[in-house]
């Protein structure tokens, strides 16, 4: 079975074609700067990379991607018919979608209705679906939600202590994000522990440009650090993470800015970038810190300390755990970040093996805890697209059975 995975943003559309018989990637690429000047489409396959002229809109982008995939000389499939289904990433499933769902017109409308909670993402995700429906009307499409994995959180974890009537009326609550990544790594963890995922407890740390920490009990999310929006939680590349809401009012009045402007600032100008003044990129900030830049060092300290606090609180929530898992661009690649986050946690049963941590092999599942660590520590590279393709396969198989 071949599955096309689409991750549509407002001006980009990332795609991957996977062969699910072997769970291998056939080709992937990105349509960048859709509708802007000089749009381009990249196409990676068989160890090569090509770049093509891009598209004016999402529909044209899909058409061009399909043309590239079936191209006589450079294509990887002979015709569209080889694509069995399409899986779409959706950022916000809100209170409506608790699992991956077969797409029809009503589902697309509901995804659009949830745009208020993810204004940058949901409209673009829906646009990608409409474009695919137009170009390939007979191919089943599946929506995979970043929030769905967290639908199992209990009320006490997802509620904010605001007036109950407002929670009911406006659905203001924690929804979380990165659910597909947390779900993938806990399944991988179950595999390496040789356990049924339903009996695995873990604290999973997805640390990238955006970051979230999740407490997983018996394979299900019971708490996560991101909230109504991805602004809440740990310190990130450009996001402040947790902050006293009074700071918003304070900044509004002192900088004479609107709430929207201050929220934009907290999302895009803070975090590593804002504190260091160097970069939102962890590698760049680390380089500056090593070179003696005190603010860069402070930014890294803030990030590591915020992750440590979430891990600690989730160890309390779970009453201990089988493992702590690191994933995401920083979690997978930065031995320094992992060491800084986990230092001085021995009394909680968390002991890093510094040598294993430093000598880990990139792109592989690695056990990096010391033999005497009560809690195992793993690096597990995430693969959200594979998880999405697995969901798509499952739903399409059910669909075929019911026909
Ligand atoms: P996104 O949240 O946008 O998907 P990623 O998960 O790709 O982000 O993470 C991006 C972050 O990962 C950046 O801060 C980058 O510096 C960091 N990163 C990527 N590779 C490395 C590396 N080899 N060492 C340290 N940090 C890395």
């Amino acid at each position: 079975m071949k599955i096309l995975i689409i991750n549509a943003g407002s001006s980009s559309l990332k795609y991957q074609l996977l062969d699910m018989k072997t769970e291998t990637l056939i080709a992937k690429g990105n349509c960048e700067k859709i509708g802007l000047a000089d749009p381009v489409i990249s196409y990676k396959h068989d160890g090569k990379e090509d770049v093509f002229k891009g598209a004016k809109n999402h529909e044209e982008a899909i058409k061009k991607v399909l043309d590239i995939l079936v191209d006589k000389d450079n294509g990887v499939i002979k015709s569209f018919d080889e694509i069995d289904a399409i899986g779409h990433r959706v950022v916000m499933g809100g209170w409506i979608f608790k699992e991956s769902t077969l797409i029809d017109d009503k589902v697309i409308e509901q995804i659009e209705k949830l745009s208020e909670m993810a204004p940058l993402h949901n409209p673009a995700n829906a646009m990608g679906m409409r474009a695919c429906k137009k170009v390939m009307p007979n191919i089943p499409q599946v929506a995979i939600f970043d929030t769905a994995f967290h639908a199992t959180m209990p009320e006490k974890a997802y509620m904010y202590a605001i007036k109950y009537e407002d929670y009911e009326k406006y659905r203001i609550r924690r929804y979380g994000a990165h659910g597909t990544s947390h779900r993938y790594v806990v399944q991988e963890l179950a595999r390496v522990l040789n356990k049924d995922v339903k009996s695995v407890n873990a604290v999973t740390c997805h640390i990238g440009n955006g970051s979230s920490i999740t407490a997983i009990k018996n394979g299900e999310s019971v708490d996560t650090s991101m909230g109504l929006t991805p602004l809440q939680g740990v310190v990130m590349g450009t996001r402040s993470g947790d902050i006293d809401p009074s700071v918003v009012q304070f900044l509004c009045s002192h900088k004479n800015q609107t709430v929207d402007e201050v929220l934009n600032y907290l999302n895009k100008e803070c975090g590593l970038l804002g504190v260091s003044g160097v970069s939102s990129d962890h590698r760049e900030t680390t380089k500056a810190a090593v070179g003696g830049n005190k603010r860069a060092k402070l930014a890294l300290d803030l990030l590591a300390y915020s992750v440590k606090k979430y891990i600690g609180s989730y160890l309390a929530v779970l009453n201990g755990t089988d493992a702590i898992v690191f994933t995401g661009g920083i979690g997978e690649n930065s031995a320094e970040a992992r060491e800084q986050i986990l230092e001085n946690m021995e009394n909680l049963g968390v002991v890093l093996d510094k040598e294993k941590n430093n000598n880990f092999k990139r792109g592989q599942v690695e056990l990096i805890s010391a033999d005497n660590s009560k809690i195992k520590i793993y690096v597990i590279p995430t693969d959200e697209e594979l998880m999405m393709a697995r969901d798509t396969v499952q739903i399409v198989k059910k669909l075929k059975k019911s026909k």
Side-chain angles (χ1 to χ4, degrees):
M1 215 181 226
K2 293 194 177 94
I3 303 290
L4 182 64
I5 294 297
I6 300 285
N7 182 355
S10 52
S11 65
S12 72
L13 186 145
K14 295 192 190 116
Y15 65 93
Q16 285 201 4
L17 183 67
L18 292 111
D19 184 343
M20 291 308 286
K21 220 191 220 165
T22 49
E23 294 202 329
T24 48
L25 180 72
I26 301 172
K28 69 173 186 177
N30 190 3
C31 311
E32 288 175 77
K33 300 196 230 164
I34 297 175
L36 305 173
D38 308 321
V40 289
I41 301 179
S42 63
Y43 172 50
K44 289 186 195 167
H45 66 105
D46 305 309
K48 293 181 278 184
E49 178 164 6
D50 299 314
V51 178
F52 299 90
K53 196 169 176 291
K56 288 194 293 290
N57 55 49
H58 285 69
E59 196 180 314
E60 194 186 36
I62 292 281
K63 278 189 188 146
K64 287 198 168 198
V65 166
L66 290 174
D67 285 344
I68 291 168
L69 292 174
V70 299
D71 183 74
K72 257 205 334 283
D73 302 319
N74 240 337
V76 284
I77 49 175
K78 289 203 178 74
S79 87
F80 302 165
D81 300 341
E82 284 185 47
I83 300 173
D84 293 281
I86 304 172
H88 291 267
R89 179 179 182 196
V90 183
V91 164
M92 174 54 77
W95 63 96
I96 301 175
F97 297 102
K98 296 186 165 40
E99 58 189 3
S100 298
T101 304
L102 189 69
I103 295 171
D104 59 19
D105 288 337
K106 183 161 172 244
V107 167
I108 300 181
E109 276 163 31
Q110 284 172 315
I111 288 168
E112 283 171 331
K113 208 173 113 189
L114 290 166
S115 293
E116 191 187 13
M117 290 175 177
L120 294 179
H121 297 101
N122 271 37
N125 299 154
M127 203 148 51
M129 290 170 201
R130 288 195 194 283
C132 285
K133 273 194 89 176
K134 237 180 165 171
V135 181
M136 292 175 286
N138 300 321
I139 296 183
Q141 297 191 55
V142 172
I144 300 99
F145 301 89
D146 278 6
T147 47
F149 182 58
H150 304 301
T152 46
M153 283 189 291
E155 256 178 338
K156 66 182 176 194
Y158 70 67
M159 282 280 300
Y160 294 119
I162 56 171
K163 255 177 115 169
Y164 196 83
E165 294 79 1
D166 289 332
Y167 154 66
E168 282 190 306
K169 190 167 173 191
Y170 303 114
R171 314 255 187 194
I172 298 169
R173 47 159 283 187
R174 182 190 301 280
Y175 290 106
H178 295 140
T180 312
S181 174
H182 291 290
R183 185 156 56 100
Y184 176 81
V185 296
V186 76
Q187 289 186 5
E188 277 293 283
L189 176 66
R191 188 179 62 75
V192 295
L193 294 177
N194 204 11
K195 274 180 139 184
D196 183 344
V197 70
K198 290 199 184 92
S199 65
V200 171
N201 297 339
V203 178
T204 50
C205 308
H206 179 112
I207 314 174
N209 209 9
S211 308
S212 65
I213 318 299
T214 295
I216 296 177
K217 188 169 191 151
N218 299 326
E220 294 186 340
S221 169
V222 292
D223 205 345
T224 193
S225 60
M226 280 182 168
L228 175 73
T229 75
L231 181 54
Q232 199 184 349
V234 299
V235 173
M236 306 179 217
T238 60
R239 295 189 191 115
S240 62
D242 294 333
I243 204 156
D244 181 342
S246 309
V247 172
V248 176
Q249 183 258 333
F250 204 87
L251 283 168
C252 282
S253 63
H254 283 267
K255 293 174 89 174
N256 197 21
Q257 286 184 333
T258 62
V259 170
D260 280 359
E261 282 167 337
V262 171
L263 285 179
N264 193 47
Y265 156 93
L266 291 172
N267 270 297
K268 298 198 177 140
E269 297 176 39
C270 295
L272 284 185
L273 173 67
V275 177
S276 71
V278 175
S279 173
S280 62
D281 189 283
H282 195 268
R283 277 169 294 194
E284 296 301 319
T285 315
T286 303
K287 238 188 257 163
V290 171
N293 184 319
K294 288 211 172 92
R295 269 176 55 186
K297 182 180 176 306
L298 176 63
L300 297 172
D301 288 348
L302 287 177
L303 187 148
Y305 186 59
S306 70
V307 176
K308 180 195 281 290
K309 284 200 292 186
Y310 268 98
I311 294 175
S313 67
Y314 290 164
L315 290 182
V317 165
L318 297 171
N319 192 12
T321 183
D322 296 321
I324 297 169
V325 178
F326 286 91
T327 195
I330 299 168
E332 288 171 31
N333 293 302
S334 175
E336 295 94 333
R338 294 191 298 256
E339 183 174 333
Q340 202 183 359
I341 291 164
L342 296 177
E343 71 185 359
N344 297 323
M345 289 179 78
E346 294 80 9
N347 290 342
L348 293 175
V350 180
V351 189
L352 186 72
D353 182 321
K354 288 186 184 167
E355 219 177 291
K356 283 188 190 158
N357 182 45
N358 286 325
N359 298 331
F360 76 105
K361 287 192 200 77
R362 270 176 227 284
Q364 284 189 20
V365 174
E366 291 269 344
L367 179 66
I368 54 169
S369 43
D371 294 342
N372 66 340
S373 183
K374 223 166 99 188
I375 295 172
K376 290 194 160 72
I377 308 164
Y378 280 96
V379 178
I380 301 184
T382 195
D383 194 339
E384 288 162 286
E385 287 78 14
L386 179 57
M387 191 76 249
M388 288 168 67
R390 284 179 184 165
D391 280 13
T392 307
V393 168
Q394 270 202 357
I395 287 180
V396 170
K397 276 190 178 159
K398 262 194 229 154
L399 185 71
K400 280 187 178 157
K401 259 193 203 155
S402 69
K403 271 187 182 164

